[in-house]
Amino acid sequence: MALIAQNHLQFIIEVAIIIYTGVIFVINFVPISLSAVLFGSMVLGVGLTLLFGLDVGMLFLSFSQSEFSHPLGPIALLGFVTALAAFPMMEKVGINVRGLKTFVYIFIVLITIFGGLVHRSFLFLWLLGLLIGYFIISKSFRQKSVLTLKRILIFAAVTLAGFGALEWLSELLKMPVFSPLLRIARLEENAVPSLKMVLKNTTLFGHLPTSSYWPSSTGFGDGYISLPISMVLMFALPFPVFYGLLVNKKDVVDYFLPGTFGYAYDFGYVTLFFLLIWCIGVILIGFKILSIYREKRENGNRSYLGKEALLIGSLTAFIAQALVGLFIINRTINGMALVTFIFLSALIVSNIITVKKDEKYIK
């Protein structure tokens, strides 16, 4: 592969290598204590809650939205789940965290409201992520499973109530932007034509050039899947880029289809296969390392408590983003959200180096 990326996929891979290198260095050479992780996760969670609240305020004031929830929603999930994972560890050593728990729960409710008002996809990712996070925490600390029938029904009821409240609010304020039913109708209207277009034109290594909106399309890496436009322009890379009115054309893949179809269309079925293998591999690595950290903790080793809490948050956010992005809406793992996706995976995989240092646990 050329040093200078020749297409969007090469650029994504090169940026991923840079992100992995940086995260691996930080995770393994900077001391990560439990108190530092808890403090950092709470600051991150509170900051993103306020940012999401500002975005909602701009929406009510009819200013342009920044749509922070797509790239930063998983990061918010990382912050809050990491904090929730740190609490049992601190309670185990006799530290009273009741006040901090109440504080975190208040902001969880606030970010649920703010993020849900801006994007319905965030609301689904957020509630799904919290459920996954509580499940991982319960297994890591050998607590009673959160996946009881009662809690699943409560989760479903809260989700329906949230969408119902948004529909009521849209009617009350005469603001269709809040209406989940309007979004569903828009998906019904556009999803089937988009799906037909993608399935008819996707090949093993890209798509038919004549199906692209670019006159000079090569049938591979036309920009439907890309890193943020600002990154492409910053390096002056000669890639096709969707911007301005042309963004509506990108919505055919980016908004109306799951990521599996989006990645297959732009890069081919072969690339999609390797993407799915990579996602599964990252998740399996995360759970394997998590079991090793748990064994260390239960044997009295407290050196990895901070990393364990951070890994739980990272793994939760990555799984939730992968599920929503690959199987519901492509935009959740595209553009700036793709940078987030790569960063979360790097936080998980970077723990391998730490594990390999202790040969006792490698068999």
Side-chain angles (χ1 to χ4, degrees):
M1 183 170 62
L3 183 60
I4 299 177
Q6 303 299 305
N7 55 56
H8 282 286
L9 182 59
Q10 287 187 11
F11 187 45
I12 291 170
I13 293 173
E14 289 183 2
V15 170
I17 292 172
I18 294 172
I19 291 175
Y20 267 63
T21 303
V23 172
I24 288 173
F25 178 83
V26 172
I27 292 295
N28 291 283
F29 293 97
V30 175
I32 302 178
S33 65
L34 181 60
S35 58
V37 167
L38 177 59
F39 176 76
S41 64
M42 291 183 65
V43 170
L44 182 65
V46 171
L48 290 178
T49 301
L50 297 177
L51 189 63
F52 283 22
L54 177 64
D55 208 20
V56 172
M58 295 296 100
L59 182 62
F60 277 103
L61 295 174
S62 299
F63 286 102
S64 61
Q65 290 176 258
S66 298
E67 299 191 348
F68 297 116
S69 58
H70 286 303
L72 297 181
I75 298 296
L77 196 57
L78 161 68
F80 281 110
V81 173
T82 298
L84 293 174
F87 290 148
M89 300 178 189
M90 303 190 79
E91 290 174 334
K92 190 72 174 179
V93 296
I95 300 176
N96 186 356
V97 294
R98 183 177 301 176
L100 288 177
K101 275 187 176 181
T102 302
F103 180 80
V104 167
Y105 288 145
I106 290 173
F107 275 87
I108 286 177
V109 172
L110 289 176
I111 200 170
T112 302
I113 295 172
F114 295 155
L117 285 172
V118 176
H119 281 118
R120 267 52 64 197
S121 59
F122 167 81
L123 185 61
F124 188 79
L125 178 141
W126 180 251
L127 294 175
L128 176 64
L130 289 179
L131 188 65
I132 294 171
Y134 274 113
F135 174 76
I136 295 176
I137 290 171
S138 68
K139 292 300 181 181
S140 294
F141 297 97
R142 304 189 189 279
Q143 301 170 347
K144 186 177 178 181
S145 176
V146 297
L147 292 180
T148 62
L149 178 60
K150 179 180 178 181
R151 287 172 177 169
I152 291 174
L153 291 176
I154 290 174
F155 171 77
V158 170
T159 304
L160 290 174
F163 283 99
L166 286 171
E167 187 63 33
W168 173 80
L169 189 64
S170 69
E171 293 288 340
L172 179 66
L173 300 177
K174 305 299 181 184
M175 296 180 68
V177 67
F178 290 135
S179 173
L181 293 180
L182 181 63
R183 296 301 178 96
I184 293 174
R186 189 180 175 207
L187 285 173
E188 289 177 346
E189 180 182 349
N190 294 279
V192 174
S194 300
L195 184 61
K196 288 181 178 178
M197 188 278 288
V198 166
L199 291 179
K200 184 172 64 175
N201 294 287
T202 302
T203 65
L204 286 176
F205 299 100
H207 53 270
L208 298 179
T210 54
S211 66
S212 175
Y213 291 103
W214 300 106
S216 57
S217 169
T218 61
F220 183 90
D222 277 334
Y224 294 92
I225 305 297
S226 68
L227 292 173
I229 293 176
S230 58
M231 292 184 66
V232 177
L233 297 179
M234 179 175 64
F235 293 104
L237 297 170
F239 303 158
V241 174
F242 286 84
Y243 59 90
L245 295 177
L246 196 58
V247 171
N248 293 328
K249 304 299 184 182
K250 187 177 182 179
D251 280 349
V252 169
V253 170
D254 191 32
Y255 186 82
F256 298 118
L257 292 176
T260 49
F261 296 105
Y263 277 79
Y265 178 74
D266 211 19
F267 301 129
Y269 288 117
V270 172
T271 301
L272 173 63
F273 172 77
F274 284 109
L275 171 65
L276 295 176
I277 293 298
W278 172 72
C279 289
I280 294 171
V282 170
I283 293 171
L284 292 178
I285 287 171
F287 278 116
K288 176 60 178 178
I289 297 173
L290 196 57
S291 67
I292 293 174
Y293 283 167
R294 180 179 65 186
E295 183 180 351
K296 290 175 179 286
R297 170 169 45 82
E298 292 177 344
N299 289 334
N301 188 341
R302 297 181 181 178
S303 301
Y304 298 92
L305 296 183
K307 288 188 175 182
E308 183 180 3
L310 184 60
L311 178 57
I312 291 174
S314 306
L315 189 57
T316 296
F318 181 81
I319 293 174
Q321 188 177 8
L323 290 175
V324 175
L326 289 172
F327 302 109
I328 297 179
I329 177 171
N330 183 44
R331 188 164 294 182
T332 304
I333 54 171
N334 199 4
M336 190 63 199
L338 179 56
V339 178
T340 298
F341 196 50
I342 295 170
F343 172 71
L344 291 173
S345 72
L347 282 177
I348 296 169
V349 176
S350 62
N351 289 273
I352 289 179
I353 292 180
T354 299
V355 174
K356 285 187 176 180
K357 287 179 180 178
D358 191 343
E359 297 181 357
K360 177 182 177 181
Y361 290 90
I362 300 299
K363 296 182 179 180

